Amino acid sequence: MKKPLIAANWKSNKKKNEAKNWLEEFSKKEFGESEIIIFPSFTLLDFVSNFIKEKSLPLKIGAQDISKFSGGPYTGEVNVGQIKDFCEFVLIGHSERRSNFQEDLETIRIKTENAISASLRPIICISNFDEARSLEFAKDAIFAYEPPESISTNPNSKPAEISDVSNFAQKFSVTFENELIYGGSVNAQNVSDYSKIDGISGFLVGGESLDPNSFFEIIKNAV
Ligand code: PGA
């Protein structure tokens, strides 16, 4: 795999001191060629972005979500203009948002348009081919194939079979030119097998990204 994209989805985890410890530990590592993106909570974007700038670390930042509204009277929402100073990427349509916050494809489409109009690069989570088709306009988006049953926090979760991911990637490449990454129970042991799949150019890592050492092992083995 050439210069893989490896993203750490911290989800709703880490306070400022925990993020600081993570970054201090992680910044001691030799990252090699990978493109590494950290997705912290909104509350940490400013801190993580400053830390990375001050230490000149070759890390990129993304937000885990954005509002479908562009700003105004939407209490609790964070809009794309508010994160643009800190981020290059934004995660859209994660299955946890779909199941816990009833996000539908129309919402995901609007959020994707908002991200693109602000020159943020969306990473859109999909679990089937039809979802990708409905977002076909997003030519510059990265798609993350994440079967919800493979996400480590789901009861009885298990990593997707190599053959399933490979079939999906093959079918995807016939129709789309977008970059495709895989997410779901990725760890330092299974990542080398996933890395061999044609059409998969990186990984979205949840649970195993919370510890800087296990995340680094994944980066090392994703070659
Ligand atoms: P996981 O999460 O690596 O813990 O399965 C992946 C994700 O939810 O993006």
CSV table of all heavy atoms in Angstrom, one decimal, residues 8 45 59 75 83 90 109 126 134 136 150 156 204 219:
chain,number,residue,atom,x,y,z
A,8,ALA,N,-7.4,8.4,13.0
A,8,ALA,CA,-7.8,8.0,14.4
A,8,ALA,C,-9.1,8.7,14.7
A,8,ALA,O,-9.2,9.9,14.8
A,8,ALA,CB,-6.7,8.5,15.3
A,45,LEU,N,-10.3,20.5,19.2
A,45,LEU,CA,-9.7,20.9,17.9
A,45,LEU,C,-8.7,22.0,18.0
A,45,LEU,O,-7.6,21.9,17.4
A,45,LEU,CB,-10.8,21.3,16.9
A,45,LEU,CG,-11.7,20.2,16.4
A,45,LEU,CD1,-12.8,20.8,15.5
A,45,LEU,CD2,-11.0,19.2,15.6
A,59,LEU,N,1.0,15.8,11.1
A,59,LEU,CA,-0.3,15.2,11.3
A,59,LEU,C,-1.4,16.1,10.8
A,59,LEU,O,-1.2,17.4,10.8
A,59,LEU,CB,-0.6,15.0,12.8
A,59,LEU,CG,0.5,14.1,13.6
A,59,LEU,CD1,0.1,14.1,15.1
A,59,LEU,CD2,0.5,12.7,13.0
A,75,THR,N,-29.1,25.8,18.5
A,75,THR,CA,-28.4,25.6,19.8
A,75,THR,C,-27.7,24.2,19.8
A,75,THR,O,-28.3,23.2,19.5
A,75,THR,CB,-29.4,25.7,21.0
A,75,THR,OG1,-30.0,26.9,20.9
A,75,THR,CG2,-28.7,25.4,22.3
A,83,ILE,N,-15.2,25.3,12.2
A,83,ILE,CA,-14.1,24.3,12.4
A,83,ILE,C,-13.1,24.5,11.3
A,83,ILE,O,-12.0,23.9,11.4
A,83,ILE,CB,-14.7,22.8,12.3
A,83,ILE,CG1,-15.3,22.6,11.0
A,83,ILE,CG2,-15.6,22.5,13.5
A,83,ILE,CD1,-15.5,21.1,10.7
A,90,VAL,N,-13.4,16.3,7.4
A,90,VAL,CA,-14.5,16.1,8.3
A,90,VAL,C,-15.2,14.8,8.0
A,90,VAL,O,-15.3,14.4,6.9
A,90,VAL,CB,-15.6,17.3,8.2
A,90,VAL,CG1,-16.1,17.4,6.8
A,90,VAL,CG2,-16.7,17.1,9.2
A,109,ARG,N,-26.1,14.1,2.8
A,109,ARG,CA,-25.9,14.8,1.5
A,109,ARG,C,-25.7,16.3,1.8
A,109,ARG,O,-24.7,16.9,1.3
A,109,ARG,CB,-27.1,14.6,0.6
A,109,ARG,CG,-26.8,15.1,-0.8
A,109,ARG,CD,-28.1,15.0,-1.7
A,109,ARG,NE,-29.2,15.8,-1.1
A,109,ARG,CZ,-29.3,17.2,-1.2
A,109,ARG,NH1,-28.3,17.9,-1.7
A,109,ARG,NH2,-30.3,17.8,-0.6
A,126,ILE,N,-19.8,4.7,4.8
A,126,ILE,CA,-20.9,4.0,4.1
A,126,ILE,C,-20.8,2.5,4.5
A,126,ILE,O,-19.7,2.0,4.8
A,126,ILE,CB,-20.8,4.1,2.5
A,126,ILE,CG1,-19.4,3.7,2.0
A,126,ILE,CG2,-21.1,5.6,2.1
A,126,ILE,CD1,-19.3,3.6,0.5
A,134,SER,N,-25.7,7.4,-3.9
A,134,SER,CA,-26.5,8.7,-3.6
A,134,SER,C,-25.6,9.9,-3.3
A,134,SER,O,-26.1,11.0,-3.3
A,134,SER,CB,-27.4,8.4,-2.5
A,134,SER,OG,-26.7,8.4,-1.3
A,136,GLU,N,-22.7,10.5,-5.1
A,136,GLU,CA,-21.8,10.4,-6.3
A,136,GLU,C,-21.3,11.8,-6.7
A,136,GLU,O,-20.2,11.9,-7.2
A,136,GLU,CB,-22.5,9.8,-7.5
A,136,GLU,CG,-21.6,9.0,-8.3
A,136,GLU,CD,-22.4,8.0,-9.2
A,136,GLU,OE1,-23.6,7.8,-9.0
A,136,GLU,OE2,-21.8,7.5,-10.1
A,150,SER,N,-19.2,-4.5,12.2
A,150,SER,CA,-17.7,-4.7,12.4
A,150,SER,C,-17.1,-3.7,13.3
A,150,SER,O,-15.9,-3.7,13.7
A,150,SER,CB,-17.0,-4.6,11.1
A,150,SER,OG,-17.5,-5.6,10.2
A,156,ASN,N,-20.9,-8.2,20.0
A,156,ASN,CA,-20.6,-9.3,19.1
A,156,ASN,C,-20.0,-8.9,17.8
A,156,ASN,O,-20.1,-9.5,16.8
A,156,ASN,CB,-21.9,-10.2,18.7
A,156,ASN,CG,-22.7,-10.6,19.9
A,156,ASN,OD1,-22.1,-11.0,21.0
A,156,ASN,ND2,-24.0,-10.4,19.9
A,204,LEU,N,-9.8,3.7,8.9
A,204,LEU,CA,-10.4,4.5,9.9
A,204,LEU,C,-10.4,3.7,11.2
A,204,LEU,O,-11.1,2.6,11.2
A,204,LEU,CB,-11.8,5.0,9.5
A,204,LEU,CG,-12.6,5.9,10.4
A,204,LEU,CD1,-11.8,7.2,10.7
A,204,LEU,CD2,-14.0,6.2,9.8
A,219,ILE,N,-0.1,1.8,12.2
A,219,ILE,CA,0.6,2.6,11.2
A,219,ILE,C,1.8,1.8,10.6
A,219,ILE,O,2.0,1.7,9.4
A,219,ILE,CB,1.0,4.0,11.7
A,219,ILE,CG1,-0.2,4.8,12.0
A,219,ILE,CG2,1.9,4.7,10.7
A,219,ILE,CD1,0.1,6.0,12.9
